[in-house]
Amino acid sequence: MSDTANTRPTLSAVAARAGVSASTASLVFSGSGPVAEATRERVLEAASALGYAGPNPTARSLRRGRTGIVGVVTEDRLGDAFRDPINLALLDGLGDELADEGLGLLVLPWSPGSRADLAAAPMDAAVLLGCSADLAGSVELLRRRRIPLIAIEAPPLDGVVPIDLDNADATRRGAELLRELGHERVALVTLPLDIDRLRAPLTPEREAEATAYTAMERIRGAREVFPDATGVSAGASTVAEGYVAGRALLDVPGDRPTAIIAQSDLLAVGAIRAAEELGLAVPTDLSVLGFDGARLDGITSHVLTTLAQPAVEKGRAAGRAVRASLVGEMPAGVALGAELRRGETVAPPRA
Amino acid sequence: MSDTANTRPTLSAVAARAGVSASTASLVFSGSGPVAEATRERVLEAASALGYAGPNPTARSLRRGRTGIVGVVTEDRLGDAFRDPINLALLDGLGDELADEGLGLLVLPWSPGSRADLAAAPMDAAVLLGCSADLAGSVELLRRRRIPLIAIEAPPLDGVVPIDLDNADATRRGAELLRELGHERVALVTLPLDIDRLRAPLTPEREAEATAYTAMERIRGAREVFPDATGVSAGASTVAEGYVAGRALLDVPGDRPTAIIAQSDLLAVGAIRAAEELGLAVPTDLSVLGFDGARLDGITSHVLTTLAQPAVEKGRAAGRAVRASLVGEMPAGVALGAELRRGETVAPPRA
DNA sequence: CGATTCGATCGAATCGATTCGACCCGCTTC
DNA sequence: GAAGCGGGTCGAATCGATTCGATCGAATCG
């Protein structure tokens, strides 16, 4: 107790007190190398007497060239990124896979302008998650740091390992179902098209300038079946936004769409709510297709027809890619598929 | 291009190429100290020629004694901790407050046994978030590292800055409202009592062994008004768990409770759902009180009567405490209050 | 019994920066 | 013209560990 200085004890201090060299003390803590039992005990005793908490992580990282940290680059505020159940599922998978390796997740909310942190944050690898905007910019910055980069559902980028989802094809299959049922007037409710997250009708101009890869791929898939399909973009993947979008599409004079392709389940639920509020029954008066198939704890009583994606597996795949990169391999990209899950929200259009 | 070795360039390499000393090159990047404009340019030029991405964060951290990282110790899997809207709101506040300072959040899901990471993760401070179980153990470990510790709603701990909520008092006020309305048979749906998260009726034994501070405080507050109140503990703060708890409390022979005090809004929603499924109208046949007052995007159409807590502010307060600690101050703890928000889910009991 | 091996330990170099004090030089100031 | 000053640069120490190669005694082997 008495010799516990008010400064953090170092390994050398412990070694000195135990009467051994720093090298030997280091071996005791790192476990790499033979140490006599008696010595080990003396060192540990000295450590606990000094209140030594183990090797300084920073110093160890410097020497070893590994921080044990994986950055997760998300958009926005932390909370927003994690508000989406699909991201949460992904995090579950990612965390799982990395925890085994003792890797921690450093969350890097990233907005254009604040890129300083990306350059200065200690990490061994980075996972780019839904960086719809200016992905290229951040990638460039990170690439210079020569750390492995894994991107979730991003356009192909040199030197970046892609973890992909067949967004276009899955949406196409969903759209085909609608067409087979007889639908012709189909409207889209898309995810935000860019960081501005404008809540507005789709226009060729807006689509041309869109930066959100996932949203655009899903639009593309829908158009393969309904080439003229249009719709509105939501400001976020939430029920509230889906509701607003739903009102915009349904509360109009003239011919309403008979089906809505929503780009997330939350948006779908919102659209359904809007429909019901307008006196439209789902699926009798309106079919609604979702995307994600994530657990929507308590959010709705409808069993959505949706394109269920393997979100946890997406995270796991990313985690495995990170691990592979860290041992020097160049992991192959992964392409995952979503599966059309038939629920109770689509039906033939009313005659 | 040609002299870009396959190894990461260092500051010295840049300095050498620019024909200056490492010290001067360092000044260029850190900005602390005068550098002639011409020199600065030469250094930056050399840096970009070598593809230098800026000072190695780890080395910088070692020298400066600061990592720029704040650990957030949560329970469980990442996803679970973030599934609770109240934690998300807290993260928003915390992230906001820390981002200004350039601090990143390192997420440390912590389960008994895996405490290795807590010892080895580089961080300048740690925020303990809902560490119901074995808090003492992790605190001891972290305290040895001499880093500032901030705990959200935890029992008082030496050397740990508390960010508290008046859980007991708030619940008491909610309970008083119920009593004033005439309720006598009141049941509790509590948050998990410990890491086992047993979904089971409350018993004196279980309560005695409970480790979840928040849950116990809220129980205590309720008992100040209804000393004999009992109920069930949920396995998580979710609608599904609330539903199960609600069934357990309501689907019974004999006298049902006329009111339920749920320890979170999600649990309250679940309980309401259970009630309605049993043909009980809320609030006519059953009053339900929630806790949190967080945004429940699209989860329910009921306007909950609840104890709204300032979750974002809780995060901000934690963030401020972290910042204060980092400049050497010993921040005072903060005690926040929840406010009874009258919704449409409580009413006098049916006569 | 000499040679070899092995286990235990240590010294010194190293990881990649930051920072303090010294130094040089050109200018002002009395 | 000497002293003083301050901008600009550099050398060397330092942060706290890890790790490689060397050393040394004891045990094994032929």
Side-chain angles (χ1 to χ4, degrees), chain A residues 131-148:
Chain A
C131 313
S132 54
D134 196 11
L135 220 183
S138 17
V139 164
E140 187 42 38
L141 196 81
L142 288 168
R143 204 198 324 251
R144 214 196 293 288
R145 289 186 57 180
R146 318 262 177 103
I147 58 179

Side-chain angles (χ1 to χ4, degrees), chain A residues 110-116:
Chain A
W110 180 85
S111 52
S114 74
R115 66 181 56 180

Side-chain angles (χ1 to χ4, degrees), chain B residues 302-326:
Chain B
H302 284 275
V303 179
L304 284 177
T305 295
T306 193
L307 294 154
Q309 61 162 307
V312 175
E313 177 53 26
K314 215 162 61 172
R316 288 206 127 79
R320 282 193 297 268
V322 167
R323 286 178 11 190
S325 306
L326 257 32

Side-chain angles (χ1 to χ4, degrees), chain A residues 10-11 26 52 56 63:
Chain A
T10 71
L11 181 60
S26 172
Y52 181 67
N56 177 315
R63 184 65 241 252

Side-chain angles (χ1 to χ4, degrees), chain B residues 23-338:
Chain B
S23 347
T24 302
S26 172
L27 293 181
V28 170
F29 289 102
S30 68
S32 53
V35 178
E37 189 50 31
T39 312
R40 145 177 274 100
E41 272 171 26
R42 235 168 345 114
V43 170
L44 292 178
E45 194 179 315
S48 94
L50 293 176
Y52 181 66
N56 178 316
T58 308
R60 180 201 286 257
S61 296
L62 175 58
R63 184 66 242 251
R64 293 220 173 137
R66 282 281 219 98
T67 63
I69 292 181
V70 175
V72 179
V73 183
T74 70
E75 273 184 299
D76 298 320
R77 311 175 71 190
L78 292 177
D80 281 348
F82 297 159
R83 207 92 58 182
D84 189 338
I86 220 66
N87 281 349
L88 285 178
L90 187 144
L91 273 186
D92 277 341
L94 182 63
D96 249 32
E97 205 71 38
L98 296 184
D100 300 344
E101 213 80 348
L103 295 167
L105 286 186
L106 180 61
V107 184
L108 300 167
W110 178 86
S111 52
S114 75
R115 64 181 56 181
D117 324 29
L118 283 193
M123 48 187 172
D124 297 334
V127 176
L128 307 173
L129 178 50
C131 314
S132 53
D134 195 12
L135 220 182
S138 17
V139 164
E140 186 43 37
L141 196 81
L142 288 168
R143 205 199 324 253
R144 214 195 294 287
R145 288 186 58 181
R146 317 263 177 103
I147 60 179
L149 260 29
I150 320 288
I152 311 288
E153 294 178 59
L157 279 159
D158 217 42
V160 177
V161 180
I163 307 292
D164 266 330
L165 191 64
D166 60 343
N167 284 300
D169 198 55
T171 305
R172 181 186 55 70
R173 293 199 308 277
E176 271 167 4
L177 168 62
L178 293 174
R179 188 181 52 192
E180 281 161 17
L181 289 171
H183 290 275
E184 289 174 354
R185 291 195 312 282
V186 172
L188 312 177
V189 176
T190 80
L191 295 168
L193 297 185
D194 50 39
I195 26 162
D196 293 339
R197 294 184 180 69
L198 205 57
R199 183 194 289 163
L202 296 177
T203 65
E205 297 74 40
R206 294 189 62 218
E207 293 180 28
E209 288 172 7
T211 54
Y213 183 70
T214 301
M216 292 313 297
E217 282 292 291
R218 294 185 188 171
I219 291 179
R220 190 162 69 76
R223 294 259 170 79
E224 284 177 25
V225 178
F226 300 104
D228 304 324
T230 182
V232 301
S233 66
S237 178
T238 65
V239 174
E241 285 288 335
Y243 174 83
V244 173
R247 295 293 298 216
L249 291 172
L250 300 171
D251 195 5
V252 292
D255 281 348
R256 292 195 181 103
T258 60
I260 284 182
I261 298 180
Q263 292 194 344
S264 83
D265 287 345
L266 293 175
L267 289 173
V269 170
I272 291 173
R273 209 160 283 180
E276 291 177 340
E277 212 168 288
L278 290 170
L280 300 171
V282 174
T284 329
D285 300 317
L286 178 77
S287 289
V288 177
L289 178 67
F291 204 115
D292 285 348
R295 175 157 69 94
L296 291 184
D297 178 44
I299 288 185
T300 183
S301 47
H302 284 275
V303 179
L304 284 177
T305 295
T306 193
L307 294 154
Q309 61 162 307
V312 175
E313 177 53 26
K314 215 162 61 172
R316 288 206 127 79
R320 282 193 297 268
V322 167
R323 286 178 11 190
S325 306
L326 257 32
V327 298
E329 297 166 20
M330 176 67 185
V334 175
L336 297 167

Side-chain angles (χ1 to χ4, degrees), chain A residues 18-344:
Chain A
V20 301
S21 75
S23 348
T24 302
S26 172
L27 294 181
V28 170
F29 288 101
S30 70
S32 51
V35 178
E37 189 50 31
T39 313
R40 147 178 271 99
E41 271 170 26
R42 237 170 342 116
V43 170
L44 291 178
E45 193 179 316
S48 94
L50 293 175
Y52 181 67
N56 177 315
T58 309
R60 178 202 288 256
S61 296
L62 175 58
R63 184 65 241 252
R64 295 233 240 233
R66 282 282 219 98
T67 63
I69 292 181
V70 175
V72 179
V73 183
T74 69
E75 275 185 299
D76 301 317
R77 310 174 71 193
L78 293 177
D80 281 348
F82 296 159
R83 205 93 59 183
D84 189 336
I86 220 66
N87 281 349
L88 286 178
L90 186 144
L91 274 185
D92 277 340
L94 182 62
D96 249 31
E97 205 71 38
L98 296 183
D100 299 344
E101 212 81 347
L103 295 166
L105 286 184
L106 179 62
V107 183
L108 299 166
W110 180 85
S111 52
S114 74
R115 66 181 56 180
D117 324 28
L118 282 193
M123 48 187 173
D124 298 334
V127 177
L128 307 173
L129 177 51
C131 313
S132 54
D134 196 11
L135 220 183
S138 17
V139 164
E140 187 42 38
L141 196 81
L142 288 168
R143 204 198 324 251
R144 214 196 293 288
R145 289 186 57 180
R146 318 262 177 103
I147 58 179
L149 262 27
I150 320 288
I152 312 287
E153 293 177 60
L157 278 158
D158 216 41
V160 178
V161 180
I163 307 292
D164 267 330
L165 191 64
D166 60 343
N167 285 299
D169 197 55
T171 306
R172 180 186 54 71
R173 294 199 307 276
E176 271 168 3
L177 168 63
L178 292 174
R179 188 182 51 191
E180 281 161 18
L181 289 171
H183 290 274
E184 290 174 353
R185 290 197 312 284
V186 172
L188 312 177
V189 176
T190 80
L191 295 168
L193 296 186
D194 50 38
I195 24 161
D196 292 340
R197 295 184 179 69
L198 206 56
R199 182 195 290 162
L202 296 178
T203 65
E205 296 76 39
R206 293 190 61 219
E207 293 180 30
E209 289 172 7
T211 55
Y213 183 69
T214 302
M216 293 312 297
E217 282 293 291
R218 294 186 188 170
I219 289 179
R220 191 163 68 77
R223 294 258 170 80
E224 284 178 24
V225 179
F226 299 105
D228 304 323
T230 182
V232 299
S233 66
S237 178
T238 63
V239 174
E241 286 288 333
Y243 174 83
V244 172
R247 294 293 298 215
L249 291 173
L250 301 172
D251 194 4
V252 293
D255 280 349
R256 292 195 181 104
T258 61
I260 284 182
I261 297 181
Q263 292 194 344
S264 84
D265 286 346
L266 292 175
L267 289 173
V269 170
I272 291 173
R273 208 160 284 179
E276 290 177 339
E277 213 170 287
L278 290 169
L280 301 172
V282 173
T284 329
D285 300 316
L286 178 77
S287 289
V288 177
L289 177 67
F291 204 114
D292 286 347
R295 176 158 68 95
L296 293 183
D297 178 45
I299 287 184
T300 184
S301 46
H302 284 275
V303 179
L304 285 175
T305 295
T306 192
L307 294 154
Q309 62 163 304
V312 175
E313 176 53 25
K314 215 163 59 172
R316 288 207 128 81
R320 282 193 297 267
V322 166
R323 287 182 5 195
S325 306
L326 258 30
V327 298
E329 296 165 21
M330 176 68 185
V334 175
L336 297 168
E339 167 209 352
L340 179 55
R341 184 191 296 162
R342 197 67 186 267
E344 303 161 355

